[in-house]
Amino acid sequence: PEGAPSRPRCALIAVGGYGRGELSPRSDLDLLLLHDGRGDRGAVAATADRIWYPVWDMGLSLDHSVRTLDEARRTAGEDLKVHLGLLDARHIAGDDTLTAELRTSLLARWRSEAPARLPELHQMGRERARRHGELPFLLEPDLKEARGGLRDATALRAVAASWVADAPRRGLEEARATLLDVRDALHLTTGRAGDRLAQEDQPQVAEALGLLDADALLRRIYEAARTIAYASDVTWREVGRVLRSRSGWTRPSQRLRGLLAGRPGRRGTPEERLPLAEGVVEQDGEVVLARTARPDRDPVLPLRAAAAAARSGLPLALPAVHRLAEAAAPLPVPWPPEAREEFVTLLGSGRDTVPVWEALEAADLITRLLPDWERVRCRPQRNPVHRWTVDRHLVETAVRASALTRRVRRPDLLLVAALLHDIGKGWPGDHSVAGETIARDMAARIGFGPEDTDVLARLVRHHLLLVDTATRRDLDDPATVEHVAAAVADVDTLELLHALTEADALATGPAAWSVWRSSLIADLVGRVTEHLRTAAEGEGLPARGPAPDTAGVGSSGVPTTPVNSAEDERLALEALSTGGPVLTLHTPPEPAPVPDGADRGNGGAGAGEPADREGSTEPAEPEPVGVELVVALPDRPGVLPAVAGVLALHRLTVRSAELRSIRPADQGTALLLEWRVAAEFGSLPRAERLRADLVRALDGSLDIAARLAEREAAYRRPRRRAIQAPPPRVGVAPLGSRLATVIEVRAQDAPGLLYRIGRALEDRGVRVRSAHVSTLGSNAVDAFYVTGPEGGPLPVAEASALVREVERALAG
């Protein structure tokens, strides 16, 4: 009738989880009654009552609201959670043009306000993770709120709707469906709403889903959560990059005009690519593959890229991970030396190891490298002391061990033992016993020699020995000390086991390590060390175990006197006769091509050759890393820093080095330096160039210190985080030698490290009789045998001053 209130336009809209179509049996219905605000408000209220009351009468939970278009827009602008829910609005009934108008306006606003809204959304996720923990590692996880849960999956949809970035699609929808299925089963088995999966409910939920047991259920949840968590990390990193570019770079049209005019991109722009390693570069704050990289021809590339990313504190870019996963050639077994060294470098990079490892895990590259890893992947630990799943605990132990590498002579063995110590938990029986066998196989696969493999197996077998003995046995009983001494065999293994025990406990959780427990273990280790040294002295044997794979060092750590070869004599004579340096660079021959159809998994070994762990009872001794460089020159001061500095200028990484004196046919004294070097990236320099620069360094016309400083300044990246490596450790080796003072240096490997050490030794006026340098992963383990000007060991005061001088050089 004329004058009656006009009938309002209304639409019933599902929002939130109901709008996404992902309700579980006991979930709330989230409904919005939207109207245009032009009709009778009473009629709108009556319509709402006719909808809400039947829902309540059915016993269903209902979250409802009634709003006009303007009210819905205003509320969304004020409350981010409301805006997120409305992004998933789905029309149910009524005027669909009203729903379309709301969706269109809210999506447009979401995209225009993305620079302000997305950081707020990211912060909400971080705060939620802080409160609820990480879903991939919780024994009683919250399927919705924990990091890697359903809330994060919803946030990824919101990011995609902003058009700023899109989440990695691989496995993401399957992971979300898995968590929804688990929540459905949880609601059905418990008869109540909730997202927390309590331990007492897990067997019933597993049975409802047709899974073997509660552990199988948790493994499935953890795998799904890791997929969502990794996708979130990648997506938010891309969001940050895009938002920074929008605020910091010129418009695309301006950049295009600049490129057309021939102006190169500014330093710090996304066009810049800085080399990190062979086939690996940094671009826009991420590690990517070089344009010339060939993963199909370079089986070490995945480990080299991962090590470069962890060493630089940068993320491994998703496209690079995908390309490596799809195209990388399989590593031969045993691994080549470079692969082993890059693997150790990855493990020794501290906290930066974790995101790189997660990137490799997401692409299934870890299980491809280490097939036995699949047994512990996502495996829960029911012991409440443990914070992590088995696999993440192993990685965390390696992270903790990286801070203890200065305490041991073999940091590479410590890091690998940390990664493998619980590897037997994927098998029945005592995990230490099973782990010993698996660790032996994995060590052989990685490329360790027989002696190192034995040490790793022993560490895994006895990784609980110190803590069990110290807390349960009488330390004053000689049998207790003898029992531990018999298990570890030598001081070096005891040293490794002590560090491994601490790293294991710290990675387990706060309840696993204490001052009391630490003091008990230290007391036990001290007693066993004394016992081993006393027993060794009584039998005339070294108390320490075998030294690293470095020629010229005896088992006691005292330099041996190698027999000079005819080539050594020839080089020394030529150097003495010419008065200048003589260099030879021995490049290894190219490996023989593998015939089509041959088994590449054993490195191309022929029939009957024991090339891999299935066909060999004992691993072969590994080949040294790098190529051999021999330098001979007349004995004179400044040789060590000069040669080391020239190698650093040419971007050659020193893997090992030996320095010794030689007197060919009594023609005078020459110094012979035997190096194992590898190019950081690119090809090796020619020997002629190295010799020319060495001549200039020795005569003072090449300022090595200034050149190294210039290069460091040119490549210093303000946005790159400093690697949190343990501080260097410099000391005098006790009982090292009767003829010289032995200065031991353990430090993080870095360009110019050996140059700085050599310069510090030269500045103190000491003579380096011999040097023994090893680079194990990212750790340098060096020994320098020095004497005073008149020969003989240094007085105690002078040795202490020399140690302080080297420490200052490394600190600067």
Side-chain angles (χ1 to χ4, degrees):
E2 186 175 347
S6 61
R7 186 165 185 167
R9 294 167 55 215
C10 295
L12 185 63
I13 302 173
V15 297
Y18 190 19
R20 293 188 297 273
E22 58 181 35
L23 289 186
S24 293
R26 297 285 177 173
S27 295
D28 293 346
L29 297 179
D30 199 347
L31 290 168
L32 166 65
L33 183 60
L34 186 69
H35 63 97
D36 58 7
R38 297 176 182 174
D40 183 5
R41 292 274 183 164
V44 174
T47 301
D49 289 343
R50 288 196 299 271
I51 298 172
W52 308 150
Y53 278 98
V55 175
W56 287 324
D57 291 342
M58 294 172 63
L60 299 177
S61 298
L62 177 64
D63 188 357
H64 61 88
S65 59
V66 180
R67 293 191 178 101
T68 65
L69 267 171
D70 289 341
E71 289 171 343
R73 292 168 182 150
R74 185 170 59 254
T75 305
E78 296 170 351
D79 191 327
L80 178 59
K81 292 182 179 179
V82 172
H83 203 158
L84 293 174
L86 291 173
L87 289 178
D88 295 310
R90 177 169 57 89
H91 182 76
I92 295 178
D95 191 334
D96 58 356
T97 61
L98 204 58
T99 303
E101 187 176 351
L102 175 67
R103 283 181 51 84
T104 300
S105 61
L106 287 179
L107 279 171
R109 183 172 184 174
W110 179 248
R111 288 160 187 159
S112 66
E113 295 179 352
R117 287 289 191 157
L118 290 182
E120 185 181 352
L121 178 60
H122 188 203
Q123 183 57 38
M124 283 175 54
R126 292 164 63 92
E127 179 62 24
R128 192 170 60 247
R130 188 189 64 80
R131 292 196 309 269
H132 298 280
E134 298 189 59
L135 179 51
F137 311 112
L138 296 171
L139 282 177
E140 293 188 324
D142 188 309
L143 301 170
K144 185 176 183 179
E145 302 292 344
R147 178 176 179 267
L150 292 169
R151 286 278 193 204
D152 282 347
T154 302
L156 293 178
R157 290 167 59 96
V159 174
S162 73
W163 291 354
V164 171
D166 196 8
R169 295 294 181 179
R170 184 177 301 180
L172 186 59
E173 188 57 35
E174 293 82 354
R176 173 176 161 273
T178 293
L179 296 186
L180 289 172
D181 288 346
V182 174
R183 189 172 68 173
D184 289 351
L186 176 63
H187 285 197
L188 291 173
T189 56
T190 62
R192 62 181 183 273
D195 300 300
R196 181 174 171 271
L197 183 62
Q199 291 195 58
E200 60 266 22
D201 299 326
Q202 291 172 14
Q204 293 83 2
V205 173
E207 182 179 359
L209 292 172
L211 299 174
L212 180 63
D213 55 23
D215 280 1
L217 170 66
L218 286 181
R219 289 194 76 177
R220 178 168 293 189
I221 292 171
Y222 293 163
E223 289 171 354
R226 287 188 185 186
T227 299
I228 295 173
Y230 177 67
S232 297
D233 289 343
V234 172
T235 303
W236 286 117
R237 191 164 66 238
E238 179 66 9
V239 168
R241 187 190 66 79
V242 172
L243 294 185
R244 286 193 304 272
S245 69
R246 288 183 178 180
S247 62
W249 313 126
T250 56
R251 289 190 178 92
S253 59
Q254 293 175 335
R255 288 203 303 272
L256 179 59
R257 285 194 296 270
L259 290 173
L260 292 175
R263 295 192 299 271
R266 294 177 290 108
R267 182 171 180 81
T269 64
E271 290 84 3
E272 183 186 30
R273 296 167 69 89
L274 297 179
L276 297 176
E278 183 64 30
V280 185
V281 300
E282 174 193 349
Q283 182 178 12
D284 198 22
E286 291 184 322
V287 173
V288 302
L289 300 186
R291 297 185 179 95
T292 57
R294 294 294 303 271
D296 56 328
R297 298 184 181 180
D298 186 357
V300 184
L301 186 57
L303 284 173
R304 192 184 307 120
R311 186 172 58 242
S312 304
L314 298 171
L316 195 55
L318 185 64
V321 175
H322 285 170
R323 188 178 172 199
L324 291 171
E326 293 166 358
L331 272 174
V333 177
W335 293 0
E338 184 195 356
R340 183 178 69 251
E341 291 296 313
E342 299 291 1
F343 185 63
V344 172
T345 299
L346 170 62
L347 296 180
S349 297
R351 184 54 52 188
D352 291 318
T353 298
V354 175
V356 177
W357 190 276
E358 289 177 343
L360 299 180
E361 279 267 42
D364 293 327
L365 281 167
I366 296 296
T367 50
R368 194 183 304 177
L369 293 167
L370 303 171
D372 292 299
W373 192 258
E374 182 60 34
R375 285 271 186 166
V376 297
R377 185 173 181 270
C378 293
R379 182 172 293 276
Q381 302 199 76
R382 297 277 174 187
N383 188 332
V385 174
H386 277 277
R387 296 179 55 196
W388 310 106
T389 54
V390 177
D391 59 336
R392 179 61 181 270
H393 169 70
L394 295 176
V395 176
E396 289 288 333
T397 305
V399 170
R400 294 288 188 168
S402 68
L404 308 177
T405 51
R406 303 295 176 263
R407 287 172 27 180
V408 299
R409 295 177 71 235
R410 292 298 304 275
D412 55 334
L413 297 185
L414 172 61
L415 293 168
V416 175
L419 186 76
L420 301 183
H421 75 279
D422 274 348
I423 197 69
K425 286 188 174 179
W427 298 80
D430 186 334
H431 77 279
S432 298
V433 176
E436 179 183 9
T437 301
I438 301 167
R440 192 176 294 277
D441 287 347
M442 293 179 75
R445 169 181 286 273
I446 293 170
F448 285 103
E451 289 184 346
D452 290 346
T453 297
D454 288 342
V455 172
L456 287 169
R458 191 179 306 126
L459 291 172
V460 172
R461 174 66 180 88
H462 298 295
H463 72 272
L464 298 175
L465 175 65
L466 293 183
V467 67
D468 286 348
T469 303
T471 56
R472 300 177 185 177
R473 299 281 291 272
D474 181 5
L475 301 189
D476 291 325
D477 186 348
T480 300
V481 174
E482 292 170 1
H483 169 68
V484 176
V488 300
D490 58 67
V491 172
D492 281 349
T493 304
L494 177 63
E495 186 180 73
L496 288 165
L497 189 60
H498 188 192
L500 174 60
T501 301
E502 182 174 340
D504 183 17
L506 291 171
T508 297
W513 194 245
S514 64
V515 174
W516 169 77
R517 183 166 293 190
S518 172
S519 63
L520 285 179
I521 292 174
D523 185 13
L524 174 61
V525 169
R527 294 169 186 250
V528 176
T529 300
E530 184 62 29
H531 176 84
L532 288 170
R533 285 177 174 160
T534 301
E537 290 171 3
E539 299 179 11
L541 298 174
R544 307 199 74 95
D549 296 325
T550 304
V553 181
S555 60
S556 65
V558 178
T560 59
T561 304
V563 177
N564 296 324
S565 67
E567 178 68 6
D568 294 341
E569 298 273 354
R570 184 190 68 79
L571 292 174
L573 284 171
E574 184 176 348
L576 290 170
S577 63
T578 62
V582 180
L583 283 76
T584 62
L585 189 62
H586 302 291
T587 305
E590 290 292 327
V594 180
D596 291 340
D599 182 7
R600 295 178 181 270
N602 62 9
E609 294 177 342
D612 59 18
R613 65 188 177 104
E614 289 80 14
S616 173
T617 58
E618 184 174 281
E621 193 66 39
E623 291 293 325
V625 182
V627 300
E628 184 181 14
L629 171 67
V630 181
V631 181
L633 69 172
D635 189 4
R636 54 171 293 181
V639 168
L640 179 61
V643 180
V646 168
L647 297 183
L649 287 179
H650 285 271
R651 301 188 184 280
L652 293 176
T653 300
V654 177
R655 309 309 306 178
S656 65
E658 296 291 319
L659 181 152
R660 55 190 170 90
S661 300
I662 181 172
R663 297 177 62 87
D666 294 327
Q667 297 297 311
T669 302
L671 292 178
L672 193 70
L673 297 94
E674 299 172 323
W675 306 79
R676 276 278 165 184
V677 298
E680 290 182 31
F681 41 80
S683 58
L684 291 166
R686 297 176 62 86
E688 293 82 358
R689 288 188 58 196
L690 291 175
R691 183 185 183 281
D693 281 347
L694 179 54
V695 170
R696 294 171 58 209
L698 290 170
D699 66 22
S701 61
L702 176 61
D703 190 342
I704 294 177
R707 291 280 299 277
L708 288 175
E710 289 173 4
R711 194 180 73 183
E712 184 178 353
Y715 281 87
R716 184 177 292 119
R717 310 293 289 164
R719 64 175 175 269
R720 184 181 298 174
R721 291 176 288 128
I723 300 173
Q724 298 299 316
R729 181 174 175 179
V730 184
V732 178
L735 305 176
S737 170
R738 292 186 298 272
L739 304 176
T741 297
V742 182
I743 303 297
E744 290 186 334
V745 180
R746 301 173 187 178
Q748 188 79 5
D749 187 36
L753 174 70
L754 190 54
Y755 167 76
R756 295 198 299 273
I757 296 173
R759 187 74 270 161
L761 296 176
E762 292 288 340
D763 288 346
R764 294 295 301 185
V766 299
R767 180 187 177 196
V768 181
R769 291 186 64 246
S770 64
H772 309 276
V773 175
S774 296
T775 304
L776 305 171
S778 59
N779 291 281
V781 182
D782 305 339
F784 302 90
Y785 288 72
V786 301
T787 64
E790 305 300 325
L794 301 177
V796 174
E798 290 187 21
S800 299
L802 180 59
V803 165
R804 291 192 297 271
E805 183 69 25
V806 175
E807 287 177 339
R808 279 194 295 269
L810 297 182

